[in-house]
Amino acid sequence: MAALTTEVLVIGGGATGAGVAWDAALRGFDVILVDRHDLAQGTSGRFHGLLHSGGRYVVKDPKAAEECIGENRILRQVAADVIEDTGGLFVTTPFDDPGYADRFKEGCRATDVPCEEIEPAEALRQEPRLNPGISRAFRVPDGSMDIWKTVWSLARGAREHGARILPYHEVTAVHRNDGEVTGVRLVDTRSGNELDIEAGVTVSATGAWAGQLADMAGIEGVHVMPGKGIMIAMNHRLVNTVVNRCQMPTDGDIIVPIRTVSVIGTTDHHVEDPDDQSIAQHEVDAMLEDGERLVPGFKESRALRVWSGVRPLFEDRKEDTASTRDITRAHSVLDHKERDGVRGLITITGGKATTFRLMAEDTVDAVCRQLGENRPCLTRTTPLRDSEPLQYYHVSHRLKEKEEHLRDAQLICECELVTRGRLEEAFRQRGSSELDDIRRYLRLGMGPCQGGFCIYRATGVLHGMGGIDAEDANGSLLRFVQERWKGVWPVLYGDQLRQARLDEWIFQGVLDVEHL
Ligand SMILES: Cc1cc2nc3c(=O)[nH]c(=O)nc-3n(C[C@H](O)[C@H](O)[C@H](O)COP(=O)(O)OP(=O)(O)OC[C@H]3O[C@@H](n4cnc5c(N)ncnc54)[C@H](O)[C@@H]3O)c2cc1C
């Protein structure tokens, strides 16, 4: 069996794990990052897209609010090109407790979240589709965040500092030698080959799966409650600012404009299994109703797709924590040497995508303590690859780039403006023939047609590049279509139903995709 050795092994390639790999590699450690799927295919790739100002938590969870605003400020300096500076509004709708607005204002002051009260008329001028009955409005520095770009920038940055990145490698066993974790066994989920990694310190950044990983290591009481939430993407930007209802956090109270769409979310239901991605029709119907409260007419707009993700809500059963609903959204680093007398293993869980950098910093500080090293964190001031301070992306940036070279490139995906050149480059960079991996990399097929017009073109390009035979290309196409379908069927009404019928005629009628 093949074997690798490293100083720091990171399990979990979401925002947290990729952040840990970047931080540890920058501090000069030899790093390997593994994930059982593609990077950012866990909760990170299934989140709401909001770069929190912290406003959501100022009353209910001030610690989480302080962490969010602190990280929001730092990310604007070091990772601006993954952020759209949409700004955010908290508005009191006729459905909200009018008394909350003053508590919100006071909470912002206490947690240092910048907040400016504006006239409702001004908020309505800024966002004309908002409920005209709003009575109070506050501006906060929310934004939206492209998570796939973030995670891949972190992974590529880590790789440039020597890290090895292994997606599609699942940890199946944790090696333990008395009071020490010494490494793990992995299976390459694509080839079935097994691999051992020996590591000085193993970091479990497995989010909602952290309890399972701790179990593998024989460590008790790491209880991560998967809190499932659904989100629905609408086919265009109903708002250009993140809009939040000014009330205690509840279901369906935020709309985030992200790239070419806007996303409403979310819910929070405790589930037993972090792999539970089921979506009930009543949740979808309720979410569309919630949208009406913020943006009247919301239900009549075209819903593109619905998906769910699971929050890693950590409850330490070694400590005396009783409540489940109000578990903090701040993060927890468990140094198992201090907590359980087991050297060589650290768990990082909880937190938010917005706070991934701080989570990584705290984790790698714990790694240093275990290894007896004193290496300061550099991620506070080191920009991510391709990022300039405060140089945010803008929704129209791909159109602008395309118009500069109008004749040079064929357009493969009209919705997300992906050119043939960009697609070929992505296939080469990722070294993957899974079209769904390329979707996460380029947002290919994520617009209104959900791949209906672009994905067979992309399949042809992939096959034409010679790296994949016709059978594998067809398999990749079929898996992509099946994956998209999962998110489309719960919102089949109106224009999206017409689109789905058209896609079905193309895929079944013209291509007979199931029998390719
Ligand atoms: C519905 C919802 C909406 C949210 N919205 C926001 C938001 O708008 N803004 C915000 O800041 N935060 C948001 N969050 C929170 C945020 O998404 C998560 O806190 C964050 O993405 C967690 O990242 P992570 O890297 O810790 O976990 P994950 O992204 O889940 O990464 C864990 C990884 O571990 C891997 N893994 C598990 N087991 C194994 C194994 N045995 N071997 C190898 N790999 C393994 C998984 O495949 C996974 O990729 C939201 C969460 C939810 C559920």
Side-chain angles (χ1 to χ4, degrees):
M1 188 192 306
L4 299 172
T5 56
T6 185
E7 284 177 297
V8 181
L9 167 65
V10 186
I11 308 169
T16 310
V20 171
W22 164 239
D23 184 315
L26 264 188
R27 295 196 209 195
F29 287 114
D30 183 28
V31 176
I32 298 180
L33 172 67
V34 302
D35 197 288
R36 61 182 184 153
H37 297 310
D38 193 17
L39 300 192
Q41 208 177 331
T43 305
S44 297
R46 310 184 71 81
F47 87 142
H48 198 170
L50 172 58
L51 174 76
H52 281 279
S53 60
R56 183 165 179 75
Y57 303 115
V58 290
V59 174
K60 192 174 179 185
D61 194 345
K63 179 165 186 259
E66 283 166 1
E67 288 185 359
C68 284
I69 187 59
E71 289 305 297
N72 178 310
R73 290 189 174 111
I74 294 174
L75 293 182
R76 287 169 186 272
Q77 296 296 322
V78 299
D81 77 325
V82 304
I83 295 169
E84 187 185 348
D85 187 22
T86 58
L89 286 172
F90 277 75
V91 293
T92 306
T93 75
F95 305 92
D96 304 326
D97 165 17
Y100 184 84
D102 287 330
R103 292 170 68 199
F104 173 79
K105 209 168 155 182
E106 171 52 25
C108 287
R109 194 201 53 72
T111 52
D112 194 26
V113 172
C115 154
E116 179 200 358
E117 179 154 18
I118 58 173
E119 288 299 324
E122 196 179 336
L124 286 167
R125 264 195 301 278
Q126 184 174 329
E127 289 299 342
R129 285 198 177 90
L130 270 183
N131 189 326
I134 58 171
S135 52
R136 310 261 314 250
F138 302 91
R139 277 202 182 116
V140 295
D142 284 337
S144 69
M145 189 176 173
D146 183 326
I147 200 68
W148 294 297
K149 201 166 180 219
T150 309
V151 170
W152 276 101
S153 294
L154 293 164
R156 289 211 304 273
R159 191 152 54 196
E160 279 162 12
H161 286 77
R164 286 163 281 177
I165 313 292
L166 305 179
Y168 295 107
H169 281 73
E170 177 165 9
V171 173
T172 53
V174 174
H175 298 313
R176 203 170 144 175
N177 187 1
D178 291 333
E180 184 171 14
V181 166
T182 55
V184 299
R185 170 138 321 153
L186 299 155
V187 61
D188 178 336
T189 57
R190 288 181 293 193
S191 69
N193 294 335
E194 288 194 312
L195 169 71
D196 268 341
I197 298 184
E198 193 182 316
V201 173
T202 298
V203 173
S204 166
T206 45
W209 292 265
Q212 294 179 1
L213 225 292
D215 284 348
M216 280 190 215
I219 286 172
E220 290 174 359
V222 179
H223 188 69
V224 181
M225 301 256 245
K228 190 177 70 169
I230 73 159
M231 290 137 284
I232 304 176
M234 310 305 283
N235 88 319
H236 65 105
R237 289 167 64 116
L238 295 169
V239 287
N240 284 303
T241 312
V242 174
V243 291
N244 308 257
R245 278 171 64 190
C246 194
Q247 59 169 7
M248 275 296 201
T250 182
D251 291 352
D253 57 353
I254 310 181
I255 304 176
V256 182
I258 179 147
R259 299 288 186 182
T260 52
V261 299
S262 40
V263 178
I264 183 159
T266 170
T267 51
D268 193 357
H269 297 299
H270 174 215
V271 288
E272 291 303 321
D273 178 4
D275 285 302
D276 179 351
Q277 293 176 359
S278 58
I279 293 162
Q281 191 61 50
H282 69 85
E283 292 178 290
V284 175
D285 296 343
M287 184 70 67
L288 293 170
E289 286 296 339
D290 289 333
E292 285 290 313
R293 300 195 164 107
L294 268 169
V295 172
F298 190 88
K299 276 194 304 188
E300 313 315 320
S301 316
R302 179 170 159 188
L304 283 184
R305 159 170 198 88
V306 53
W307 69 95
S308 68
V310 283
R311 293 177 187 81
L313 301 178
F314 174 64
E315 182 196 19
D316 196 341
R317 293 234 162 133
K318 279 205 153 182
E319 311 267 317
D320 184 20
T321 12
S323 153
T324 54
R325 174 121 185 88
D326 297 329
I327 295 174
T328 174
R329 301 303 159 101
H331 61 275
S332 305
V333 178
L334 307 181
D335 181 331
H336 295 290
K337 184 173 165 214
E338 290 167 6
R339 181 183 182 271
D340 308 283
V342 178
R343 216 204 72 81
L345 182 67
I346 289 162
T347 297
I348 167 72
T349 189
K352 309 289 301 167
T354 302
T355 57
F356 77 85
R357 193 212 61 82
L358 178 64
M359 294 167 73
E361 176 177 346
D362 290 352
T363 307
V364 184
D365 284 350
V367 169
C368 287
R369 282 196 298 277
Q370 282 216 7
L371 292 175
E373 299 275 352
N374 182 11
R375 303 188 194 183
C377 175
L378 301 171
T379 58
R380 225 168 241 276
T381 48
T382 311
L384 278 181
R385 232 173 160 268
D386 308 328
S387 196
E388 301 276 339
L390 306 180
Q391 297 298 305
Y392 308 111
Y393 76 73
H394 191 265
V395 63
S396 62
H397 81 112
R398 283 187 176 171
L399 182 60
K400 184 163 172 275
E401 282 164 20
K402 169 85 190 116
E403 283 180 336
E404 276 168 15
H405 309 282
L406 214 45
R407 291 176 198 282
D408 299 354
Q410 291 170 287
L411 208 47
I412 302 296
C413 171
E414 284 94 345
C415 305
E416 295 290 342
L417 295 169
V418 177
T419 61
R420 181 178 187 135
R422 185 72 194 90
L423 183 65
E424 290 181 346
E425 188 189 331
F427 281 132
R428 278 192 289 272
Q429 281 176 347
R430 287 300 316 274
S432 170
S433 54
E434 275 303 317
L435 290 159
D436 209 41
D437 289 353
I438 303 303
R439 170 180 72 79
R440 280 184 290 277
Y441 207 60
L442 292 182
R443 298 181 62 83
L444 180 78
M446 289 187 66
C449 75
Q450 292 285 292
F453 300 133
C454 63
I455 207 61
Y456 41 83
R457 295 176 189 154
T459 312
V461 172
L462 172 65
H463 177 49
M465 287 172 70
I468 182 170
D469 66 18
E471 195 179 335
D472 286 346
N474 290 339
S476 188
L477 170 68
L478 188 57
R479 284 190 292 280
F480 180 95
V481 172
Q482 281 169 339
E483 191 55 39
R484 290 282 84 190
W485 181 246
K486 280 190 215 161
V488 167
W489 73 261
V491 285
L492 282 182
Y493 64 88
D495 284 341
Q496 194 58 18
L497 177 58
R498 286 187 200 98
Q499 176 76 56
R501 287 291 287 147
L502 175 59
D503 290 354
E504 191 196 354
W505 289 329
I506 295 171
F507 287 115
Q508 305 279 24
V510 181
L511 296 174
D512 192 15
V513 75
E514 280 180 60
H515 304 105
L516 277 173

